[in-house]
Amino acid sequence: MKVSVAIAAYRGEKWIGDQLQSLVEQTRLPDEVVITDDSPDDATRREAERFSGVLPLRYVANPIRLGVTGNFNAALSLTTGDAVFLCDQDDVWYPDKIAAMCGHLSIGGAAVFCDSDVTDAGGTPAGFTHLESRGYGVLRRLPEGMWRDQLAACCRRVPAAGHDMALTRELLDRLLPLPDLPFCHDTYLGVAAAALGAWRIVPRSLGTFRRHGASASGAGAKMSWRGQWRAARESVRGRSFAWNAELFSAVLDRLPELDPAVRDQLYARMRHSRARAGMDVPFLRRLPAIWREICSGNYVRFGRGWKNVVQDLFFRESDL
């Protein structure tokens, strides 16, 4: 099995050396490391190329800036391995990560994810893991292997981020190119693989997930009530409901052969996102739509229950 690692870099000169060193120290070395770089200068390239003699490194500077999703799309499309790992530039992998996850792909799995220990910018442990930060700490108590009810869970929130994922070439080729949506590459892969029932799980930490001010997303941060309040406001301002609907539509378009029951579940999730996307209207006009989503059970089935109801009642853009 040929193993590829895909890294989408952007101003990564401060961090990428630690990540590449952790690849050097793997018990099962990668056969190919592809780096696509969105940086406006060559500082990341200089740091990455220090490892060109010890890793099978391929570095590509993007001619124009592609953004997070576009950059990962470029990196993944250039890989040639039978197993492809998504890799962030600022994390550190534990030595057995590739071996442990390839073990599942080599016995017929199509996709596998693990957990990560969250740290601060300096590498100091935060005291919780990435799965725990996303409300999926229960998964850490599962045995290794297949994960039941994965589609229902991923229709609410995909537990794993891209840096904890690996997919077979066959599955990845079915899912590429990634849809052109903001910060969605791992959510799209998570939902699509779950729709196929493809996810296997290694329910332990196989690396660290470094959180710092330059991170591309806020994933991996446990939030106070005040933080959740701010995040609820920002998700409204960021049109997250509209692009979420587009994401589920993209999965349906990419996988037309899905079982009808699976398609029905994805359609229901897409319609719920579209309903919420249309709630940026004056308070009294959106009450009927909120009531319909409450009665259908969709707030619980596809989200965070009463927290999302409060968000739609009081945090909509027309109120801000």
Side-chain angles (χ1 to χ4, degrees):
M1 175 182 287
K2 180 180 179 180
V3 174
S4 297
V5 176
I7 302 177
Y10 176 70
R11 295 187 180 275
E13 62 272 11
K14 185 176 180 179
W15 319 104
I16 200 168
D18 289 344
Q19 177 63 287
L20 293 174
Q21 182 60 39
S22 75
L23 297 184
V24 172
E25 296 170 1
Q26 290 293 299
T27 59
R28 198 298 187 195
L29 293 173
D31 301 291
E32 173 185 64
V33 179
V34 175
I35 300 174
T36 52
D37 190 4
D38 248 2
S39 301
D41 53 41
D42 63 354
T44 301
R45 176 189 60 79
R46 291 196 302 268
E47 181 63 21
E49 289 184 347
R50 293 196 303 109
F51 293 84
S52 60
V54 291
L55 285 172
L57 193 66
R58 180 181 181 187
Y59 173 91
V60 177
N62 298 327
I64 59 171
R65 188 175 178 193
L66 302 176
V68 175
T69 300
N71 200 9
F72 263 111
N73 198 55
L76 292 169
S77 65
L78 291 173
T79 60
T80 60
D82 307 300
V84 181
F85 285 71
L86 283 73
C87 182
D88 284 354
Q89 65 185 10
D90 45 8
D91 303 327
V92 173
W93 288 7
Y94 297 156
D96 62 334
K97 177 169 181 172
I98 290 179
M101 295 177 72
C102 279
H104 288 276
L105 299 180
S106 66
I107 59 174
V112 59
F113 70 88
C114 63
D115 200 0
S116 294
D117 293 320
V118 179
T119 74
D120 66 12
T124 302
F128 55 89
T129 73
H130 184 246
L131 285 178
E132 288 170 341
S133 76
R134 296 175 74 86
Y136 281 105
V138 65
L139 296 185
R140 289 178 57 85
R141 298 194 291 272
L142 296 180
E144 286 197 17
M146 290 303 298
W147 172 33
R148 294 184 179 181
D149 302 321
Q150 54 186 266
L151 180 58
C154 287
C155 280
R156 291 191 299 272
R157 188 182 194 188
V158 174
H163 61 86
D164 285 330
M165 296 178 178
L167 292 82
T168 62
R169 171 95 272 142
E170 180 181 5
L171 177 57
L172 187 62
D173 285 346
R174 291 179 69 183
L175 302 182
L176 290 179
L178 303 172
D180 185 19
L181 297 169
F183 305 108
C184 84
H185 65 283
D186 44 9
T187 302
Y188 165 76
L189 293 174
V191 171
L196 295 166
W199 283 118
R200 299 176 71 89
I201 182 172
V202 180
R204 57 188 173 93
S205 296
L206 293 178
T208 65
F209 183 25
R210 196 193 311 253
R211 306 305 306 138
H212 55 85
S215 297
S217 77
K222 279 194 170 181
M223 287 187 287
S224 64
W225 280 103
R226 182 176 295 178
Q228 292 182 51
W229 187 279
R230 287 196 299 267
R233 287 181 177 272
E234 288 305 314
S235 68
V236 169
R237 291 192 175 105
R239 294 186 65 251
S240 63
F241 312 111
W243 68 252
N244 221 281
E246 292 179 47
L247 185 147
F248 279 86
S249 177
V251 173
L252 286 160
D253 290 343
R254 195 65 53 85
L255 300 172
E257 76 284 4
L258 289 172
D259 180 271
V262 172
R263 293 187 67 82
D264 287 347
Q265 190 166 352
L266 293 172
Y267 270 120
R269 178 63 171 89
M270 180 183 69
R271 288 193 296 269
H272 177 61
S273 291
R274 285 179 176 171
R276 297 193 70 195
M279 290 182 187
D280 285 327
V281 295
F283 183 81
L284 291 178
R285 287 178 54 193
R286 65 176 176 265
L287 287 180
I290 293 172
W291 181 245
R292 284 194 298 272
E293 295 304 302
I294 291 173
C295 292
S296 70
N298 285 340
Y299 280 113
V300 174
R301 184 183 178 194
F302 298 131
R304 301 181 184 183
W306 66 268
K307 291 183 179 181
N308 291 148
V309 176
V310 170
Q311 184 182 37
D312 287 339
L313 282 171
F314 304 115
F315 292 176
R316 304 307 299 193
E317 189 78 325
S318 54
D319 302 326
L320 301 178

